[in-house]
Amino acid sequence: MKRDRNFDELAGRFKKNIYGTNKGEIRLAVLWQHLLEQLPHLVDGPPLRILDAGCGLGVFALRLAELGHELVLCDISQALLEQAQQAFNEQRPEARVEFRHISLFDLPENDETQYDLVICHAVLEWLAEPSQSIPALYSMLKPGAHLSLMFYNINSLIYRNLVRGNLRKVKSGQFSGEVNSLTPQHPLKPDEVYGWLESSGLSMLDHVGVRVFYDYMEKRLRETLPIDAIIEMELEHSRQEPYRSLGRYMHVLAQR
Ligand SMILES: C[S@@+](CC[C@H](N)C(=O)[O-])C[C@H]1O[C@@H](n2cnc3c(N)ncnc32)[C@H](O)[C@@H]1O
């Protein structure tokens, strides 16, 4: 039986490979800009109650805590939750935050709270049944509340393999990562995810691509061009077609 991927064993590599890199920086910059642009009240409104489902190291939640919001962080990985807690103790000891070692699927029946904003970033592609997560996330939103959903885009993977000449791989349609790798087990078709949102009763407000060209660049260029210049271009192209649809991840803002 397939299981949701618990990051306990990937904890060390995850921190180094995702957040210690340009990739992590670009991802944060695009997500942050998009979220604040769509939900400006995050900056100048009253504190909100926010759930980060599958929080990992809590990097994004730390930024929201900095704005004074009240947070609940949940994850099935005890190791990552402990690292998130440590990061909060060191960087935001005053934050109003609760850490829950629980699956997002089990949270609704163990927590009657409904949230103003639910964050779920880079989690769906690690789930055995990704489509089932949307009704669970929906049930934790107050009416009118928002969902910030980021998922791994299969179209980007197909395109990257095509330009690298991995034609047989594309033909096989097998894009799942190896067990214990940081390549997700379920890259997702954006149209399918948008359909799940709609059938759960969520309205899609806007979407952007996250890393629309960096992952296709030659290694030499990635290492020599200044990261600030790359981020500026990523931000600009993240919302423009056809680049948007080529994002390694898609970030969707939806509303209940
Ligand atoms: C790629 S990490 C993303 C972490 C974080 N959201 C971020 O953007 O950096 C995926 C996380 O989802 C967690 N996860 C997987 N299945 C889950 C589930 N059913 N409920 C809650 N967390 C889950 C993993 O343990 C891991 O921490």
Side-chain angles (χ1 to χ4, degrees), residues 20-70:
T21 62
N22 284 351
K23 284 189 178 180
E25 247 186 88
I26 300 168
R27 166 168 154 178
L28 268 179
V30 176
L31 278 174
W32 195 242
Q33 174 174 286
H34 191 216
L35 199 67
L36 295 194
E37 182 195 275
Q38 292 293 313
L39 306 178
H41 58 282
L42 278 172
V43 179
D44 55 20
L48 302 180
R49 196 159 164 77
I50 302 177
L51 169 70
D52 189 342
C55 64
L57 298 165
V59 175
F60 204 76
L62 271 166
R63 287 202 168 189
L64 292 164
E66 202 172 322
L67 297 176
H69 301 296
E70 195 181 325

Coordinates of all heavy atoms in Angstrom, one line a residue, residues 20-70:
G20 N 18.9 25.7 1.6 CA 20.2 26.3 1.5 C 20.6 26.7 0.1 O 21.8 26.9 -0.1
T21 N 19.7 26.8 -0.8 CA 20.1 27.0 -2.2 C 19.3 28.2 -2.9 O 18.3 28.7 -2.3 CB 19.7 25.7 -3.0 OG1 18.3 25.6 -2.9 CG2 20.3 24.5 -2.4
N22 N 19.8 28.5 -4.1 CA 19.1 29.5 -4.9 C 17.6 29.0 -5.2 O 16.7 29.8 -5.2 CB 19.8 29.6 -6.3 CG 21.0 30.5 -6.2 OD1 21.3 31.0 -5.1 ND2 21.8 30.5 -7.2
K23 N 17.5 27.7 -5.3 CA 16.1 27.2 -5.6 C 15.2 27.6 -4.5 O 14.1 28.0 -4.7 CB 16.2 25.7 -5.7 CG 16.7 25.2 -7.0 CD 16.5 23.7 -7.2 CE 17.0 23.2 -8.5 NZ 16.8 21.8 -8.7
G24 N 15.6 27.4 -3.3 CA 14.8 27.7 -2.1 C 14.5 29.2 -2.0 O 13.4 29.7 -1.7
E25 N 15.6 30.0 -2.4 CA 15.4 31.5 -2.3 C 14.4 32.0 -3.3 O 13.5 32.8 -3.1 CB 16.7 32.2 -2.6 CG 17.3 32.9 -1.4 CD 18.5 33.6 -1.7 OE1 18.4 34.8 -2.1 OE2 19.6 33.1 -1.6
I26 N 14.5 31.4 -4.5 CA 13.5 31.8 -5.6 C 12.1 31.4 -5.2 O 11.2 32.2 -5.3 CB 13.9 31.2 -7.0 CG1 15.3 31.6 -7.4 CG2 12.9 31.5 -8.0 CD1 15.8 30.7 -8.6
R27 N 12.0 30.2 -4.7 CA 10.7 29.7 -4.3 C 10.0 30.6 -3.2 O 8.9 31.0 -3.4 CB 10.9 28.3 -3.8 CG 9.8 27.7 -3.0 CD 10.1 26.2 -2.9 NE 9.5 25.6 -1.7 CZ 9.6 24.4 -1.4 NH1 10.3 23.5 -2.1 NH2 9.0 23.9 -0.4
L28 N 10.8 31.0 -2.2 CA 10.3 31.8 -1.2 C 9.9 33.2 -1.7 O 8.8 33.8 -1.4 CB 11.3 32.0 -0.1 CG 11.3 31.1 1.1 CD1 12.5 31.4 2.0 CD2 10.0 31.1 1.8
A29 N 10.8 33.8 -2.6 CA 10.5 35.1 -3.1 C 9.2 35.1 -3.9 O 8.4 36.0 -3.8 CB 11.7 35.6 -4.0
V30 N 9.0 34.1 -4.8 CA 7.8 34.1 -5.6 C 6.5 33.9 -4.8 O 5.5 34.6 -4.9 CB 7.9 33.0 -6.8 CG1 6.6 33.0 -7.6 CG2 9.1 33.3 -7.7
L31 N 6.6 32.9 -3.9 CA 5.5 32.6 -3.0 C 5.1 33.9 -2.2 O 3.9 34.2 -2.1 CB 5.8 31.5 -2.1 CG 5.7 30.1 -2.6 CD1 6.2 29.1 -1.5 CD2 4.2 29.8 -2.9
W32 N 6.1 34.5 -1.6 CA 5.8 35.6 -0.7 C 5.2 36.7 -1.5 O 4.2 37.3 -1.0 CB 7.2 36.0 0.0 CG 7.0 36.9 1.2 CD1 7.5 38.1 1.3 CD2 6.3 36.5 2.4 NE1 7.1 38.6 2.5 CE2 6.4 37.7 3.2 CE3 5.6 35.4 2.8 CZ2 5.8 37.7 4.5 CZ3 5.0 35.5 4.1 CH2 5.1 36.6 4.9
Q33 N 5.8 37.1 -2.6 CA 5.3 38.2 -3.4 C 3.8 37.9 -3.8 O 2.9 38.8 -3.7 CB 6.1 38.5 -4.6 CG 5.4 39.6 -5.5 CD 6.2 40.0 -6.7 OE1 7.2 40.7 -6.5 NE2 5.8 39.6 -7.9
H34 N 3.5 36.7 -4.3 CA 2.2 36.4 -4.7 C 1.2 36.4 -3.6 O 0.1 37.0 -3.7 CB 2.2 35.0 -5.4 CG 1.0 34.7 -6.1 ND1 0.4 33.5 -6.2 CD2 0.1 35.5 -6.9 CE1 -0.7 33.5 -6.9 NE2 -0.9 34.7 -7.4
L35 N 1.5 35.9 -2.5 CA 0.6 35.8 -1.4 C 0.3 37.2 -0.8 O -0.9 37.6 -0.6 CB 1.2 35.0 -0.2 CG 0.2 34.5 0.8 CD1 -0.7 33.5 0.2 CD2 0.9 33.8 2.0
L36 N 1.3 38.1 -0.7 CA 1.1 39.4 -0.2 C 0.3 40.3 -1.1 O -0.5 41.1 -0.8 CB 2.4 40.1 0.2 CG 3.2 39.5 1.4 CD1 4.2 40.4 1.9 CD2 2.3 39.0 2.5
E37 N 0.5 40.0 -2.4 CA -0.2 40.8 -3.4 C -1.7 40.4 -3.4 O -2.5 41.3 -3.5 CB 0.5 40.5 -4.8 CG 0.0 41.2 -6.0 CD 0.5 40.4 -7.2 OE1 1.6 40.7 -7.6 OE2 -0.3 39.5 -7.7
Q38 N -1.9 39.1 -3.3 CA -3.3 38.7 -3.3 C -4.0 38.9 -2.0 O -5.2 39.1 -2.0 CB -3.4 37.2 -3.6 CG -2.9 36.8 -5.0 CD -3.9 37.3 -6.0 OE1 -5.1 37.1 -5.9 NE2 -3.4 37.9 -7.1
L39 N -3.3 38.9 -0.9 CA -3.9 39.1 0.4 C -3.2 40.2 1.2 O -2.5 39.9 2.2 CB -3.8 37.8 1.3 CG -4.4 36.5 0.6 CD1 -4.2 35.3 1.5 CD2 -5.9 36.6 0.3
P40 N -3.3 41.4 0.8 CA -2.6 42.5 1.4 C -2.9 42.7 2.9 O -2.1 43.2 3.6 CB -3.0 43.8 0.6 CG -4.2 43.4 -0.2 CD -4.2 41.9 -0.4
H41 N -4.1 42.2 3.3 CA -4.5 42.3 4.7 C -3.6 41.5 5.6 O -3.6 41.6 6.8 CB -5.9 42.0 5.0 CG -6.3 40.6 4.5 ND1 -6.5 40.2 3.2 CD2 -6.5 39.4 5.2 CE1 -6.9 39.0 3.1 NE2 -6.8 38.5 4.3
L42 N -2.7 40.6 5.0 CA -1.7 39.9 5.8 C -0.8 40.8 6.5 O -0.2 40.6 7.5 CB -1.0 38.9 4.9 CG -1.6 37.5 4.7 CD1 -0.8 36.8 3.6 CD2 -1.7 36.7 5.9
V43 N -0.5 42.0 5.8 CA 0.4 42.9 6.3 C -0.2 44.0 7.1 O 0.3 44.3 8.2 CB 1.2 43.6 5.1 CG1 2.2 44.7 5.6 CG2 1.9 42.6 4.2
D44 N -1.4 44.5 6.7 CA -2.0 45.6 7.4 C -3.3 45.4 8.1 O -3.9 46.3 8.6 CB -2.0 46.9 6.5 CG -2.8 46.6 5.3 OD1 -3.6 45.6 5.3 OD2 -2.7 47.3 4.2
G45 N -3.7 44.1 8.1 CA -5.0 43.8 8.8 C -4.8 43.2 10.2 O -3.6 43.1 10.6
P46 N -5.9 42.8 10.8 CA -5.7 42.2 12.2 C -5.1 40.8 12.1 O -5.1 40.2 11.0 CB -7.2 42.1 12.7 CG -8.0 42.2 11.4 CD -7.2 43.0 10.4
P47 N -4.5 40.3 13.2 CA -3.9 39.0 13.1 C -4.9 37.9 12.7 O -6.1 37.9 13.1 CB -3.5 38.7 14.6 CG -3.5 40.0 15.2 CD -4.5 40.9 14.5
L48 N -4.4 37.0 11.9 CA -5.2 35.9 11.4 C -4.8 34.6 12.0 O -3.7 34.5 12.5 CB -5.1 35.7 9.9 CG -5.4 36.9 9.0 CD1 -5.1 36.6 7.5 CD2 -6.8 37.4 9.2
R49 N -5.7 33.6 12.0 CA -5.4 32.3 12.5 C -5.0 31.4 11.2 O -5.9 31.3 10.3 CB -6.6 31.7 13.2 CG -6.2 30.5 14.0 CD -7.2 30.2 15.1 NE -7.0 28.9 15.7 CZ -6.0 28.5 16.5 NH1 -5.2 29.4 16.9 NH2 -5.9 27.3 16.9
I50 N -3.8 30.9 11.2 CA -3.3 30.3 10.0 C -2.8 28.9 10.3 O -2.1 28.6 11.3 CB -2.1 31.1 9.4 CG1 -2.5 32.6 9.1 CG2 -1.5 30.5 8.1 CD1 -1.4 33.5 8.6
L51 N -3.2 28.0 9.4 CA -2.7 26.6 9.5 C -1.6 26.3 8.4 O -1.9 26.6 7.2 CB -3.9 25.6 9.3 CG -3.5 24.1 9.1 CD1 -2.9 23.5 10.4 CD2 -4.7 23.3 8.6
D52 N -0.5 25.8 8.7 CA 0.5 25.3 7.7 C 0.5 23.8 7.8 O 1.0 23.2 8.7 CB 1.9 25.9 8.1 CG 2.9 25.6 6.9 OD1 2.6 24.8 6.1 OD2 3.9 26.3 6.9
A53 N -0.2 23.2 6.8 CA -0.4 21.8 6.7 C 0.8 21.1 6.0 O 1.0 21.4 4.8 CB -1.7 21.5 6.0
G54 N 1.6 20.3 6.7 CA 2.8 19.8 6.1 C 3.9 20.8 6.1 O 4.5 21.2 5.1
C55 N 4.1 21.4 7.3 CA 4.9 22.6 7.4 C 6.4 22.4 7.2 O 7.1 23.3 6.9 CB 4.8 23.1 8.9 SG 5.4 22.0 10.1
G56 N 6.9 21.1 7.3 CA 8.3 20.9 7.1 C 9.1 21.7 8.2 O 8.8 21.6 9.4
L57 N 10.1 22.4 7.7 CA 11.0 23.2 8.6 C 10.3 24.5 9.1 O 10.9 25.2 9.9 CB 12.3 23.5 7.9 CG 13.1 22.3 7.5 CD1 14.2 22.8 6.5 CD2 13.7 21.7 8.7
G58 N 9.1 24.8 8.6 CA 8.4 26.0 9.1 C 9.0 27.3 8.6 O 8.7 28.4 9.2
V59 N 9.7 27.2 7.5 CA 10.4 28.4 7.0 C 9.3 29.5 6.6 O 9.4 30.7 6.9 CB 11.2 28.1 5.8 CG1 11.8 29.3 5.1 CG2 12.4 27.1 6.2
F60 N 8.3 29.1 5.9 CA 7.3 30.0 5.5 C 6.4 30.5 6.7 O 6.1 31.7 6.7 CB 6.3 29.3 4.4 CG 5.7 30.3 3.5 CD1 6.4 30.9 2.5 CD2 4.4 30.7 3.7 CE1 5.8 31.9 1.7 CE2 3.8 31.6 2.9 CZ 4.5 32.2 1.9
A61 N 6.1 29.6 7.6 CA 5.4 30.0 8.8 C 6.1 31.1 9.6 O 5.5 31.9 10.2 CB 5.1 28.8 9.6
L62 N 7.4 31.0 9.6 CA 8.2 32.0 10.4 C 8.0 33.4 9.8 O 7.8 34.3 10.6 CB 9.7 31.7 10.3 CG 10.3 30.7 11.3 CD1 11.6 30.2 10.9 CD2 10.4 31.4 12.7
R63 N 7.9 33.5 8.5 CA 7.6 34.8 7.9 C 6.2 35.3 8.3 O 6.0 36.5 8.5 CB 7.7 34.7 6.4 CG 9.1 34.5 5.9 CD 9.1 35.0 4.5 NE 10.5 35.1 4.0 CZ 10.8 35.6 2.8 NH1 9.9 36.1 2.0 NH2 12.0 35.7 2.5
L64 N 5.3 34.4 8.3 CA 3.9 34.8 8.7 C 3.8 35.2 10.2 O 3.1 36.2 10.5 CB 2.9 33.7 8.4 CG 2.7 33.4 6.9 CD1 2.1 32.1 6.6 CD2 1.9 34.5 6.2
A65 N 4.6 34.5 11.0 CA 4.7 34.8 12.4 C 5.2 36.2 12.6 O 4.8 37.0 13.5 CB 5.5 33.8 13.2
E66 N 6.2 36.5 11.8 CA 6.8 37.9 11.9 C 5.8 39.0 11.7 O 6.0 40.1 12.2 CB 7.9 37.9 10.7 CG 9.0 39.0 11.0 CD 10.1 38.8 9.9 OE1 10.4 37.7 9.5 OE2 10.5 39.8 9.5
L67 N 4.7 38.7 10.9 CA 3.7 39.7 10.7 C 2.7 39.7 11.8 O 1.7 40.4 11.7 CB 3.0 39.4 9.3 CG 3.8 39.6 8.1 CD1 3.0 39.2 6.8 CD2 4.4 41.0 7.9
G68 N 2.9 38.8 12.8 CA 2.0 38.9 14.0 C 0.8 37.9 14.0 O 0.0 37.9 14.8
H69 N 0.8 36.9 13.0 CA -0.3 36.0 12.9 C -0.1 34.8 13.9 O 1.0 34.5 14.3 CB -0.5 35.5 11.5 CG -0.7 36.7 10.5 ND1 -1.9 37.4 10.6 CD2 0.0 37.2 9.5 CE1 -1.8 38.4 9.7 NE2 -0.6 38.3 9.0
E70 N -1.3 34.2 14.1 CA -1.3 33.1 15.1 C -1.2 31.8 14.2 O -2.0 31.7 13.3 CB -2.6 33.1 15.8 CG -2.7 32.3 17.0 CD -4.0 32.4 17.7 OE1 -4.6 33.6 17.6 OE2 -4.5 31.5 18.2

